Amino acid sequence: MYQTTLVPTGAGDAALDAVDDATEITAADGTVHVLGVVEEIPMYDRSGKPEKFDDDDPERRERLEAAVDRVATAVADAGIDSETAVESGVPAHEIAAYADAVDADAVVMGKRGLDAAADDLLGSTTERVIRTADATVVSVPVSG
């Protein structure tokens, strides 16, 4: 059993698939940290409508905070204490840094499947965290 577990989440539901695994490996007197990261996307990397990536977009942050709250509620429903945080930056870097800051024993994250070409070219946030975090990283396939 781990004392301190980190479950990172985006605005989607991938982390909800990881909650059962996270609560299963966290000691009853342990803590699950739920982290949301508002991704900072450089202008040259952006695509789509410019307003979609507005750094001052309060709706984007609100969606992320709501996702963090959903995951924290699922952790509470499992009877385990949780702490929440929302950071800004590059997700994989922020997740690894947060895991270090709270001395996480494990990071449990949902992994959405990319098509083979995108996965080969870009990798995934989960794969980047596996390569950079000092803690054990558990990758949970996203259902559906």
Side-chain angles (χ1 to χ4, degrees), residues 1 61 76 87 104 106 109-110 130 139:
M1 290 290 191
R61 186 172 187 90
E87 304 290 340
M109 32 192 326
I130 289 169
S139 174

Side-chain angles (χ1 to χ4, degrees), residues 38-56:
V38 177
E39 186 171 11
E40 294 177 352
I41 304 171
M43 181 60 82
Y44 58 83
D45 282 346
R46 296 178 186 183
S47 63
K49 298 178 182 176
E51 63 270 10
K52 180 178 179 186
F53 299 101
D54 183 357
D55 290 333
D56 295 325

